[in-house]
Amino acid sequence: RRSRPTVNAIWDNHIAVLVGDFFVSLSLHKAVATGDLRIIDTISHLGRTLSLGEIDQINKARYHDITEESYLDIIGSKTASLFVACIKMGGYSVNASDEDIERMCRFAQLFGLCFQIRDDIFDYFEDSRIGKPTGNDLREGKITLPLLHVLSIDTLPRHKEMNELVRKDELSSEQIATLIAYAREFGGIDYAYDCMSRFRDEAVEIISHFPDTEIRRSFISLFDFIIARHN
């Protein structure tokens, strides 16, 4: 969908919702066809997790009540859960051991967290390749990791002023630019990359328990790619 119009943009919200309903129904139909209740349960649980993650994000944005911990919980529900569900269903379909599935689910969770953190970093830079306007998250009331980090450091200049600014119900383009510049100037982007690096190291340690094959190396390469990607 990057740099391409969405279903909603081409037609309208009504069509977009119908298309979404179609794909959910189709995925449940395919899950039932496997005859494995664990796969059906995974698909059902995923829908619940995604919905609760979205509700939690809307609530946090409305009341300006978000911490780094709650941010990670939200992106864990809204993004990482998709990757975890794929790993679970793949593992079930080949009768992988519970231990291996558990390990790979943690790998997938770390992968999903890094995917979303990198996606959120895009919001702090102007780049036509990305396909969304700079500051779009703040415009929607979403505070992401780079800004969350600098706002938590009470020794930084203008700390109180920036925390009061971010709690406004509506932000002007100039105010959004001010908050983005603040996050960039005081190390918010670097902190986000440090978090991804820690998650990546943990993921590599997890997957090192599996044989050294081209598949294992591909998983690591894919992890590195999502951290380094430009769109």
Side-chain angles (χ1 to χ4, degrees):
R1 63 185 176 89
R2 300 292 178 175
S3 301
R4 297 181 180 182
T6 61
V7 171
N8 183 52
I10 296 172
W11 289 288
D12 57 30
N13 186 62
H14 181 67
I15 298 298
V17 170
L18 287 174
V19 171
D21 289 344
F22 170 78
F23 280 118
V24 170
S25 300
L26 182 62
S27 66
L28 288 171
H29 175 72
K30 295 296 184 183
V32 170
T34 67
D36 191 330
L37 286 176
R38 297 173 301 174
I39 292 178
I40 300 170
D41 180 68
T42 299
I43 289 284
S44 302
H45 183 73
L46 174 61
R48 175 179 177 274
T49 301
L50 290 170
S51 299
L52 289 175
E54 183 67 26
I55 291 170
D56 194 21
Q57 185 172 62
I58 292 170
N59 182 67
K60 297 294 184 183
R62 177 173 296 174
Y63 296 103
H64 309 290
D65 177 30
I66 187 166
T67 62
E68 181 176 328
E69 182 181 2
S70 60
Y71 163 82
L72 292 174
D73 286 342
I74 288 170
I75 67 172
S77 295
K78 288 191 60 181
T79 303
S81 63
L82 289 158
F83 297 103
V84 172
C86 289
I87 286 292
K88 277 187 176 181
M89 290 186 286
Y92 294 150
S93 67
V94 297
N95 295 314
S97 69
D98 290 343
E99 183 181 31
D100 283 348
I101 291 176
E102 183 178 353
R103 281 176 175 163
M104 287 306 298
C105 279
R106 177 56 179 166
F107 179 94
Q109 182 184 37
L110 294 165
F111 183 94
L113 293 177
C114 285
F115 184 95
Q116 189 59 55
I117 291 171
R118 182 67 185 99
D119 212 54
D120 290 342
I121 290 173
F122 289 138
D123 204 52
Y124 293 79
F125 298 92
E126 187 72 48
D127 193 330
S128 60
R129 294 174 296 179
I130 296 171
K132 67 176 183 177
T134 303
N136 195 57
D137 289 334
L138 279 172
R139 200 167 285 108
E140 296 177 356
K142 302 172 186 175
I143 308 175
T144 52
L145 188 58
L147 183 57
L148 274 173
H149 174 66
V150 297
L151 291 176
S152 71
I153 306 174
D154 56 15
T155 56
L156 289 179
R158 305 169 67 194
H159 173 262
K160 183 179 179 180
E161 176 189 346
M162 292 297 105
N163 273 273
E164 289 176 350
L165 178 59
V166 83
R167 290 180 177 277
K168 289 182 175 292
D169 290 332
E170 290 187 20
L171 293 168
S172 67
S173 295
E174 182 179 351
Q175 290 170 330
I176 289 173
T178 297
L179 289 167
I180 287 175
Y182 190 74
R184 292 172 61 176
E185 179 180 359
F186 292 103
I189 305 300
D190 291 337
Y191 178 78
Y193 273 107
D194 286 343
C195 285
M196 289 192 291
S197 179
R198 292 199 305 272
F199 292 156
R200 188 259 184 199
D201 289 345
E202 182 183 344
V204 170
E205 172 61 26
I206 288 169
I207 208 169
S208 68
H209 291 277
F210 296 93
D212 184 13
T213 63
E214 183 62 32
I215 293 174
R216 192 183 87 176
R217 291 191 290 272
S218 294
F219 268 102
I220 296 174
S221 295
L222 187 59
F223 209 114
D224 290 337
F225 168 76
I226 62 108
I227 293 175
R229 65 196 170 96
H230 296 292
N231 55 30

